[in-house]
Amino acid sequence: MLETAILVLLYNKEIKDSSTLNSLIKSTAQYSNAKIVIWNNGPKKLNTVNSQALIDLGCQTEIVETVTNDSLAVIYNRFIKANQAKKYILLDDDSELSEQFIKASALSKPEHLSLPIITSNGKVQYPSIDRKRYSSETIIKDSSRVTTIGSGLVLGINIVNALNEYYNSVFDERFYLYGVDTTFCLRVNESNQVKNIQLISGFDHSLSKLESESTKMNNFRRIERSYERGLKLRYYVPLPRAIFLLLKTGTSTLKRRLVGKRYQVRFLYVLKAFLSGKHYRNNS
């Protein structure tokens, strides 16, 4: 069994351009008995594979390509099932990993769920503990509710097994992009299966919500957020409250449209997701 299985998920990027992989290559800290899976999720196949760069990673490597921009939940679950390891580290392609993060994540135990303290533009953005952004005064209790993003998560095999037993999967495959990380956190919070939560510092990550993007990309994100909200209301909120929140979303959307402002979601897509119980990319 591997000590550590690491997933680096590429999208529209060559291996040489991934700050995450470059951080791992340059680091003097090492993962022992580890495997790195470089997963290209499209939109096209890799042009070049720098074999020397893979050698420089210092551990077993594998390249997987799915050029159709597959569901993150499906990719995460497939990666975990395909690699027997004591812990799993999930990484996007655009993170700066410090020596501190690499050393601490290498020491994470099978019974731990380790969350990175994620900074962007010099400020802490995640995790949120009991609905408050992490600070030096934050205390995590057994009853604490955590919220974070997927990149940088370190999942011990004991956590994986507990969630698989409770939900039949670690990540909820009814979600594609948005909601994969938040529903994972909901599963952790609601199942009461995870007690050993650790925090790891030294993780700088690019966050799309803090960056200026094109109108096309903004519209895409609104649709994704809409489906995320509708599906979470359907599957993770009791029906009476889900209907109340659905109506509240509709009212808020209408109010903002009347004053010429856009809401963060489109109500018709939220409603469609809630009623159908499916993401628009799910054809099954």
Side-chain angles (χ1 to χ4, degrees):
M1 175 181 282
L2 295 166
E3 181 67 31
T4 308
I6 304 166
L7 173 70
V8 180
L9 187 61
L10 302 181
Y11 184 75
N12 200 25
K13 193 168 291 182
E14 295 293 320
I15 289 174
K16 65 182 178 62
D17 299 319
S18 167
S19 54
T20 303
L21 287 169
N22 285 327
S23 295
L24 291 170
I25 290 169
K26 294 174 184 176
S27 172
T28 58
Q30 296 290 327
Y31 294 99
S32 61
N33 186 24
K35 176 182 177 181
I36 296 179
V37 177
I38 301 171
W39 196 304
N40 173 35
N41 201 26
K44 58 185 180 180
K45 284 187 173 292
L46 296 171
N47 290 326
T48 58
V49 176
N50 187 333
S51 57
Q52 184 57 50
L54 300 184
I55 292 171
D56 291 342
L57 286 169
C59 56
Q60 181 184 349
T61 59
E62 178 185 1
I63 294 176
V64 179
E65 298 201 75
T66 50
V67 295
T68 52
N69 194 11
D70 284 4
S71 155
L72 294 186
V74 170
I75 289 173
Y76 290 161
N77 286 336
R78 280 180 57 185
F79 162 71
I80 290 170
K81 288 178 183 177
N83 296 279
Q84 289 189 326
K86 294 181 181 179
K87 60 180 174 289
Y88 302 86
I89 303 176
L90 307 180
L91 299 168
D92 288 346
D93 58 29
D94 53 358
S95 301
E96 296 287 344
L97 312 181
S98 69
E99 301 284 295
Q100 185 179 10
F101 173 83
I102 293 173
K103 289 177 181 177
S105 60
L107 294 174
S108 189
K109 303 298 183 184
E111 63 272 17
H112 290 162
L113 170 62
S114 295
L115 311 179
I117 300 170
I118 297 173
T119 58
S120 189
N121 297 328
K123 295 183 179 180
V124 174
Q125 302 295 334
Y126 292 100
S128 169
I129 309 295
D130 295 324
R131 300 188 178 183
K132 293 182 180 180
R133 190 175 298 177
Y134 170 82
S135 71
S136 57
E137 288 79 34
T138 298
I139 298 174
I140 301 180
K141 305 181 290 289
D142 284 350
S143 59
S144 290
R145 299 178 67 84
V146 300
T147 304
T148 192
I149 61 173
S151 189
L153 281 177
V154 186
L155 310 176
I157 186 61
N158 294 5
I159 309 302
V160 167
N161 290 340
L163 292 175
N164 268 324
E165 184 174 350
Y166 200 88
Y167 291 104
N168 294 318
S169 65
V170 179
F171 293 90
D172 191 336
E173 296 185 7
R174 293 171 294 203
F175 295 78
Y176 269 70
L177 178 60
Y178 284 67
V180 173
D181 45 14
T182 54
T183 53
F184 169 80
C185 293
L186 286 171
R187 288 181 168 199
V188 168
N189 295 331
E190 299 299 334
S191 66
N192 203 31
Q193 300 296 299
V194 181
K195 298 296 184 183
N196 294 304
I197 298 177
Q198 313 290 315
L199 296 178
I200 301 176
S201 58
F203 190 92
D204 193 73
H205 183 65
S206 173
L207 293 172
S208 60
K209 70 177 184 179
L210 302 179
E211 298 174 357
S212 177
E213 295 183 309
S214 67
T215 300
K216 181 179 179 181
M217 181 56 70
N218 283 330
N219 287 333
F220 167 76
R221 294 193 187 281
R222 284 183 74 206
I223 294 172
E224 288 293 329
R225 280 194 291 266
S226 301
Y227 273 85
E228 174 195 11
R229 182 170 299 187
L231 291 173
K232 282 202 297 188
L233 289 176
R234 167 122 181 190
Y235 294 116
Y236 287 91
V237 179
L239 185 59
R241 179 161 177 77
I243 292 174
F244 167 76
L245 293 174
L246 191 66
L247 294 174
K248 185 177 179 181
T249 298
T251 302
S252 298
T253 304
L254 179 60
K255 285 181 178 178
R256 290 186 68 86
R257 288 194 65 181
L258 290 174
V259 296
K261 294 182 179 180
R262 294 203 315 172
Y263 196 52
Q264 59 184 341
V265 296
R266 294 181 181 176
F267 179 67
L268 288 180
Y269 288 131
V270 176
L271 182 62
K272 186 175 181 180
F274 180 77
L275 294 176
S276 69
K278 289 184 177 182
H279 191 277
Y280 68 91
R281 291 185 58 198
N282 188 345
N283 297 317
S284 60

